[in-house]
Amino acid sequence: AQSVAQPEDQVNVAEGNPLTVKCTYSVSGNPYLFWYVQYPNRGLQFLLKYITGDNLVKGSYGFEAEFNKSQTSFHLKKPSALVSDSALYFCAVRERDGYNKLIFGAGTRLAVHP
Amino acid sequence: DAGVIQSPRHEVTEMGQEVTLRCKPISGHDYLFWYRQTMMRGLELLIYFNNNVPIDDSGMPEDRFSAKMPNASFSTLKIQPSEPRDSAVYFCASSDHFEQLQHFGDGTRLSIL
């Protein structure tokens, strides 16, 4: 079965510094990978996805993610963090059951300090 | 596009009462998912539908939980009877086969006293 792991419960970063939120995956075959963000009292919002093509994927709000097949990783990055980026971030992989089921990681809380 | 619409946004009720959560997916989407989010257990997939047919309900915690999708524009999640441990935020999401990403509603915050 497909799975994703987010090894950090929380990431703290100062405003203006680069940020990385880590995700590793375990899949059979080619992975379909996603990042979502959740702000307080809101549903999950799509940030970006990797299906095929360039290993560096650009998404919303200046975020990007790098697909690394050899390390089975799909880390989320941003060159300069904003306080407003503080939120809960989820990595997900599509299940290979022929449907659009996603397997979500446990989530990483990002705190950006002024 | 109005997005996925869930109602009510908040529900407070007493133990033993029936609870009905509602979801209107994005028009044209053929998948609908119900999730539950708690601090202890994180985000859990309860059940999902494809073309109004339940595909996998293995995440439904107990027989007290049931979900229906009578048509492409409406789904319900019912809990009967409700218990305090059912307190959580319940999310509905929809997607279409081609885009493959899920669009989430803003959830229903359920509190069972």
Side-chain angles (χ1 to χ4, degrees):
Chain A
Q2 322 286 71
S3 66
V4 292
Q6 295 181 244
E8 302 155 317
D9 290 337
Q10 178 150 337
V11 170
N12 296 297
V13 65
E15 187 175 29
N17 283 2
L19 70 87
T20 299
V21 183
K22 296 180 180 177
C23 173
T24 59
Y25 64 88
S26 175
V27 303
S28 55
N30 295 321
Y32 289 11
L33 296 161
F34 303 79
W35 275 103
Y36 282 79
V37 60
Q38 185 181 25
Y39 298 102
N41 301 314
R42 300 297 303 275
L44 279 67
Q45 297 177 31
F46 169 74
L47 274 179
L48 51 81
K49 66 180 178 182
Y50 172 84
I51 304 296
T52 187
D54 290 341
N55 290 343
L56 186 63
V57 180
K58 294 190 182 296
S60 307
Y61 312 122
F63 284 92
E64 57 189 28
E66 186 171 10
F67 172 68
N68 188 316
K69 189 172 183 178
S70 63
Q71 297 186 5
T72 62
S73 67
F74 189 55
H75 300 334
L76 182 69
K77 300 184 179 186
K78 188 174 182 182
S80 178
L82 300 173
V83 172
S84 57
D85 292 330
S86 299
L88 187 57
Y89 290 81
F90 290 93
C91 182
V93 64
R94 183 187 165 197
E95 182 64 276
R96 289 179 62 83
D97 62 352
Y99 299 103
N100 281 7
K101 178 182 177 181
L102 295 179
I103 308 299
F104 284 91
T108 298
R109 188 162 299 280
L110 173 67
V112 182
H113 304 283
Chain B
D1 190 341
V4 176
I5 299 173
Q6 291 187 245
S7 63
R9 287 297 315 276
H10 302 274
E11 175 89 7
V12 180
T13 192
E14 293 189 346
M15 183 175 71
Q17 297 297 305
E18 178 179 289
V19 173
T20 300
L21 310 181
R22 296 173 176 81
C23 176
K24 177 179 170 56
I26 292 173
S27 177
H29 281 188
D30 52 354
Y31 288 90
L32 186 136
F33 303 82
W34 281 102
Y35 293 88
R36 177 171 70 174
Q37 186 178 35
T38 61
M39 290 291 291
M40 291 294 294
R41 301 173 70 92
L43 190 66
E44 303 173 275
L45 176 64
L46 301 178
I47 185 172
Y48 68 99
F49 297 82
N50 179 221
N51 293 320
N52 313 337
V53 176
I55 303 300
D56 184 355
D57 65 355
S58 60
M60 297 285 261
E62 299 173 35
D63 291 345
R64 299 184 295 105
F65 286 70
S66 63
K68 294 183 179 180
M69 192 164 186
N71 57 62
S73 58
F74 184 65
S75 177
T76 60
L77 178 67
K78 285 190 178 181
I79 308 173
Q80 168 61 24
S82 57
E83 296 183 5
R85 61 196 167 117
D86 301 331
S87 297
V89 181
Y90 290 81
F91 290 104
C92 175
S94 70
S95 70
D96 72 47
H97 184 75
F98 301 101
E99 190 182 31
Q100 298 185 13
L101 65 93
Q102 295 181 17
H103 298 259
F104 283 73
D106 281 336
T108 295
R109 183 173 297 276
L110 177 64
S111 297
I112 309 296
L113 306 177

